[in-house]
Amino acid sequence: MPSAEPVVQLRCYCKNDGWGKKGHDSMAARLCAKTPGTDFKIEDDKHYSEMWMGTYPTTPSYVISTGETLQEYLKKYPELLGKKVRDKFEGELPYLPKILSMSKALPLQVHPDRKMAQQLHARDPKKFGDTNHKPEIAVALGPFELFAGWKPLTDLTRLFANKPLQRFLPPGEDKFHDGTLKQVARNILEAPENVVEQTIADVIKLPDDAFESKYRYIPSLLQRVCEQYSPTDNGTLLAVLCMNFFQLNAGDSVYVPADGIHAYLSGDIVECMARSDNVLNTGFCPRAERDSVEVFCEALSFWPHEPDEAFLGKHPADKAKHGKTLEYAPPISEFNMLATHLKAGEKESIQPIDGPTVMVVTGGAGKMHAANKTLDISEGYVYFVGHGVGLDFEACPQELHVFMAYAE
């Protein structure tokens, strides 16, 4: 058997969910279409939502030089994962990077933890295709709006003192704790459509002084999300009233734990998650596509409870020689992410990583020196880099932006 090439270029594909951006407005589609040799073509009347870069079987990446899926290539050459990663994750690439482009809210969702994922997979393996958990990070590539985690309990206590919202409180309770919040979430999600529609209308009519200054956005955001889906969508009430609403800029990032409630609203992002596609949806989607409220509420955790707790910090990467690379390090073992940003003429060196890397060029052009080869790289190029390979980047003739997910 010939020896493995440790650095291989990947061909990826883009999904067509209705919440994606249309045609060339979608960064996911634009990047996907720029891979050399791809047969992917952008149609301006189609929505493009997610470009996947990894081994998950529903939307696999392909090794351009061999025509194999990346999964097949790594099964043939498992040494590319490195012994530690191969042993710990049973021979699998443990993460799944994506580019997401959103024109409206994704379904309101949680990803079940490992225990629940195993139960759901045993019950319905077609819908829940694996037994893994799915913590994830999202790094903004520009303006990015989302819902993630819960408003502070004291804020919810004051907010739900407004008469139109008192109908969702458990009998005899007016101060929020996690048990109250869980019951309020269930009551909102189980409310009849006419109650949802009337409540939204009533909240929109409340005077400004019904809301703390930081929540004055609630009426207008209710109207905006209603226009995207329906004034009877239960998820609109739960997200806008109970969840933290964020407006982030390029480079900002959030961490969503496996059982954390979230819904991305607009923008372009690099996302990375543990290798799973399990999800429970209960809003911002047709009623027929919603999962059981009981199961959804069972899966919920009640972290984060403060807006700052949802943010994922970044720091200069120890693995980078010239200080042009940032690292995002979520509190999980499946992956970290590096982001290298170079101006024209600048260089960066990334030391060999004790595990596999998947990298995507999100902007600009330059050269990459790796495994005794010099490769021209530009926007839309995606590579798998095997264990123990160092990378040298040079931005020319313009700037260069590269994101790298890796495991060690």
Side-chain angles (χ1 to χ4, degrees), residues 307-327:
D308 289 350
E309 293 174 346
F311 291 123
L312 178 64
K314 55 194 173 187
H315 60 268
D318 294 337
K319 298 180 182 301
K321 182 177 180 181
H322 302 299
K324 306 296 183 183
T325 300
L326 298 170
E327 181 152 20

Side-chain angles (χ1 to χ4, degrees), residues 83 99 179 253 271 320 329 383 408:
K83 186 177 187 310
I99 302 291
S253 180
E271 186 183 48
Y383 282 87
E408 283 193 317

Side-chain angles (χ1 to χ4, degrees), residues 53-307:
M53 301 169 282
T55 60
Y56 203 83
T58 55
T59 311
S61 298
Y62 290 81
V63 178
I64 291 176
S65 59
T66 69
E68 301 166 285
T69 66
L70 179 59
Q71 176 78 346
E72 292 168 337
Y73 191 75
L74 294 179
K75 292 296 183 187
K76 187 187 295 184
Y77 303 114
E79 66 272 16
L80 294 176
L81 295 172
K83 186 177 187 310
K84 291 179 182 177
V85 171
R86 187 170 72 242
D87 290 349
K88 181 169 185 176
F89 298 104
E90 300 178 346
E92 297 285 0
L93 185 71
Y95 53 80
L96 176 60
K98 302 177 181 179
I99 302 291
L100 267 64
S101 293
M102 300 152 282
S103 64
K104 65 178 185 177
L106 277 68
L108 181 63
Q109 60 191 260
V110 295
H111 305 302
D113 61 19
R114 282 196 181 96
K115 181 179 179 181
M116 179 171 279
Q118 291 166 358
Q119 296 169 349
L120 294 172
H121 177 74
R123 189 185 311 165
D124 188 352
K126 186 175 180 180
K127 178 174 171 58
F128 301 98
D130 59 79
T131 59
N132 201 14
H133 68 167
K134 191 181 172 184
E136 63 187 45
I137 69 170
V139 182
L141 295 172
F144 172 39
E145 296 179 305
L146 72 154
F147 300 103
W150 305 99
K151 289 182 172 70
L153 293 171
T154 53
D155 291 359
L156 289 171
T157 295
R158 290 191 290 269
L159 182 60
F160 276 75
N162 285 295
K163 188 173 180 180
L165 302 180
Q166 291 176 7
R167 58 167 59 98
F168 300 116
L169 294 171
E173 291 192 36
D174 57 5
K175 287 187 170 59
F176 270 72
H177 50 77
D178 283 347
T180 314
L181 179 52
K182 190 166 192 173
Q183 188 57 53
V184 167
R186 181 187 291 270
N187 291 344
I188 290 174
L189 293 173
E190 291 180 341
E193 290 187 348
N194 65 312
V195 172
V196 172
E197 187 169 22
Q198 185 61 56
T199 302
I200 291 173
D202 290 343
V203 172
I204 289 172
K205 293 175 186 174
L206 288 172
D208 283 350
D209 60 9
F211 307 97
E212 296 179 57
S213 58
K214 61 184 173 181
Y215 297 131
R216 295 277 168 84
Y217 67 80
I218 285 177
S220 61
L221 192 56
L222 282 172
Q223 289 178 300
R224 175 182 166 191
V225 179
C226 282
E227 289 168 2
Q228 291 185 358
Y229 287 96
S230 161
T232 64
D233 192 313
N234 304 62
T236 300
L237 271 180
L238 186 61
V240 178
L241 294 175
C242 296
M243 296 174 64
N244 296 309
F245 171 60
F246 298 108
Q247 295 175 299
L248 307 185
N249 297 310
D252 294 337
S253 180
V254 293
Y255 167 65
V256 179
D259 43 11
I261 188 169
H262 62 291
Y264 301 154
L265 187 56
S266 71
D268 298 291
I269 63 172
V270 177
E271 186 183 48
C272 194
M273 61 204 62
R275 186 184 183 274
S276 173
D277 196 32
N278 289 328
V279 63
L280 293 163
N281 298 324
T282 190
F284 304 151
C285 58
R287 187 167 293 274
E289 296 176 12
R290 299 179 200 172
D291 290 292
S292 156
V293 171
E294 181 178 354
V295 175
F296 185 88
C297 290
E298 183 184 345
L300 287 176
S301 76
F302 292 93
W303 184 93
H305 250 321
E306 298 288 338

